[in-house]
Amino acid sequence: MDYPQTGAIIQIHSYKHDGHIHRAWNETVVLKGSEEEIIGGNDRTLVTEADGRTWVTREPAICFFYEKHWFNIIAMIRSEGVYYYCNMSSPYVWDGEALKYIDYDLDIKVFPNGQYDILDHDEYERHREQMNYPDIIDEILKNNIQKLVQWIREKKGPFAPEVVEHWYKKFIMYGK
């Protein structure tokens, strides 16, 4: 698989299962590009919603996208600690234009103290019916929620405090 190079500034595009654009982030600096994962950083980047509304992110974020996992993880660095927003999603695709993935509605919000909430069950069930998510997708997502919760509890991957700190320091070196 092709992937963006370290230091490149890329866009991130989130789609829904039916192929419609959901949300786009204008600028993310690639901190690590490999076949297995892409790690990026952004701060005060323009975000465009499907309906054309725009907003700007409020804090620095380190983003983790995986080639084999059905989730991505956004670590938001705030004065009171690191908050995580985890999207249940397809693995990423890099097509030379943007990093792209399908957002499958379910999210996990993780607080600095390690507590977490699984969000948007109703939205997931509604879209599952409207967009005819195949049963295999439902099974994959449920398995990946379990995997993600295990990572959170074990402070594995991005949930280990030193991991976000390491990538945030690299992001600062780019002067963003």
Side-chain angles (χ1 to χ4, degrees):
M1 176 189 277
D2 195 20
Y3 52 87
Q5 299 302 304
T6 299
I9 296 176
I10 65 168
Q11 290 190 356
I12 299 170
H13 294 176
S14 169
Y15 292 84
K16 287 299 185 182
H17 184 79
D18 64 3
H20 287 92
I21 188 82
H22 172 56
R23 184 174 289 137
W25 290 258
N26 196 45
E27 288 188 355
T28 296
V29 177
V30 176
L31 305 172
K32 177 185 177 189
S34 74
E35 289 187 14
E36 295 83 31
E37 67 182 349
I38 295 174
I39 301 172
N42 61 47
D43 187 13
R44 295 178 184 84
T45 192
L46 180 68
V47 180
T48 304
E49 300 286 342
D51 64 6
R53 287 182 299 122
T54 60
W55 53 279
V56 176
T57 61
R58 296 180 305 196
E59 65 267 315
I62 305 299
C63 313
F64 301 84
F65 297 91
Y66 301 99
E67 191 262 334
K68 293 189 174 162
H69 299 304
W70 284 68
F71 52 80
N72 59 64
I73 301 167
I74 314 302
M76 297 167 291
I77 299 146
R78 298 180 179 163
S79 59
E80 62 272 17
V82 177
Y83 287 77
Y84 297 88
Y85 202 86
C86 312
N87 297 291
M88 300 313 298
S89 67
S90 67
Y92 79 84
V93 173
W94 170 252
D95 67 0
E97 175 194 10
L99 182 149
K100 298 178 179 180
Y101 65 91
I102 298 170
D103 180 291
Y104 280 104
D105 313 310
L106 291 168
D107 303 304
I108 301 179
K109 183 175 183 178
V110 185
F111 299 89
N113 66 5
Q115 290 185 330
Y116 62 89
D117 290 327
I118 300 174
L119 309 172
D120 301 327
H121 291 280
D122 293 346
E123 180 183 4
Y124 174 76
E125 289 302 329
R126 187 174 64 254
H127 285 164
R128 181 177 179 215
E129 189 173 307
Q130 288 173 350
M131 296 184 218
N132 286 324
Y133 295 175
D135 289 342
I136 189 68
I137 296 286
D138 188 56
E139 184 178 327
I140 289 168
L141 293 172
K142 286 178 180 167
N143 288 338
N144 275 264
I145 285 175
Q146 290 177 356
K147 182 187 301 180
L148 192 52
V149 166
Q150 183 177 354
W151 282 23
I152 294 164
R153 289 181 176 155
E154 295 175 1
K155 297 190 181 333
K156 183 177 175 181
F159 303 104
E162 66 275 6
V163 172
V164 171
E165 186 177 325
H166 167 80
W167 291 110
Y168 182 55
K169 286 178 182 175
K170 291 220 181 257
F171 176 64
I172 290 171
M173 290 179 8
Y174 284 96
K176 293 291 177 184

